[in-house]
Amino acid sequence: MSNKVLTIFPPGWIATAPYLALPQLKGYARSIGEELDIYDDNIMFFDWVFSKKTIDKILEDCMNDFEVYKSNLNTLSQDQLSRFQQLYRGLKQYHLFSKIDDYKKIVRTSKNQDDFMVAYRLFESTQELLGYYYNMTIAQNYIGSNKYKASTVENLLSFCKDSRNNVFLDYYRNNKLLERCLEYDYVGISITSASQMLSAFTLINLLRDLEPRKKMKIFLGGNFITRLCENIDQSSRNIELFKMVDFVSVYEGEPVIKEIFNSNFNFMTSNNTVYIDNNVLIYNNTVKNVYSHSPVCPDFDGFALEKYFLP
């Protein structure tokens, strides 16, 4: 029996169109007679962010904080003032929050520029409001933590466990992705931007908590991860990140996809894989710029194309 494989594109990217990498790999897998499942978690995250249900859960707390800030305006520290300003921007479109699901539909279907700009400003306020609540910066081209600012392994791992200051913990607790991952032998996470690291490693940490229920293999791939592997030193603390996954797929993903469905797949011998052995990062043989010269037709089956924020 062949392995079941799911690949995920995590939050931290623009939500106007699907990123091509996973559909390209799915198209390749189908061309060799295999079925690769793909999931754009980025668009599903922003679908959750821009929803009345999500806003309603935090709005009362945010309104109460606003009144406290306002009554102590003359004694606020610089940090408190910055937080107040973020909250103010978040509440700027308060009168439209009850209609956000309607405006989300407008952005997806209408070509009316005025309606689109109203929705765009509403989305900006919503991102600011959630950003305030979780002490983060949340935008469609960047997601970062204000509390864990330095990009260190320690801060990243601390962020993954901080239920009050990590929007992704609430997000993953309110959807079925974790349960779905349990159905697979291999779960791959494709990271193309540094701003996807927070969501990706939160997801990995949660999947590891589920591990006793099923021994799935978790692997990383994507452009950012390839560049990280290219520049990492054996003494780097970043090696700790790779201990959280079973292996890493670098450069073109097709060599790994070509073999991973086989029940005898061994990432320690596959082309284009990197893994940890006795605290040492092992680099297998790499194949570069072969499949990109003659790409197959991408296959978007599995992506919720109706959810992207353009008509």
Side-chain angles (χ1 to χ4, degrees), residues 50 79 151 191 260:
F50 303 136
D79 182 62
S151 56
I191 302 176
I260 198 171

Side-chain angles (χ1 to χ4, degrees), residues 54-103:
T54 297
I55 295 172
D56 283 349
K57 287 181 178 179
I58 68 171
L59 189 55
E60 184 177 351
D61 285 346
C62 290
M63 293 293 292
N64 290 338
D65 285 358
F66 185 81
E67 294 303 320
V68 171
Y69 280 124
K70 215 167 58 164
S71 62
N72 295 281
L73 198 56
N74 294 327
T75 60
L76 295 181
S77 67
Q78 189 60 46
D79 182 62
Q80 289 172 326
L81 182 59
S82 177
R83 295 269 290 148
F84 176 55
Q85 289 169 338
Q86 184 179 21
L87 178 57
Y88 177 81
R89 294 192 299 269
L91 293 172
K92 210 168 186 181
Q93 302 296 319
Y94 171 82
H95 61 293
L96 291 178
F97 282 152
S98 62
K99 300 178 181 178
I100 191 167
D101 292 310
D102 295 328
Y103 275 102

Side-chain angles (χ1 to χ4, degrees), residues 247-273:
F247 69 95
V248 176
S249 170
V250 294
Y251 304 108
E252 292 177 315
E254 283 84 350
V256 174
I257 295 301
K258 186 176 182 178
E259 300 179 21
I260 198 171
F261 295 97
N262 191 314
S263 59
N264 295 319
F265 172 70
N266 185 352
F267 60 81
M268 294 183 181
T269 59
S270 173
N271 288 330
N272 287 26
T273 57

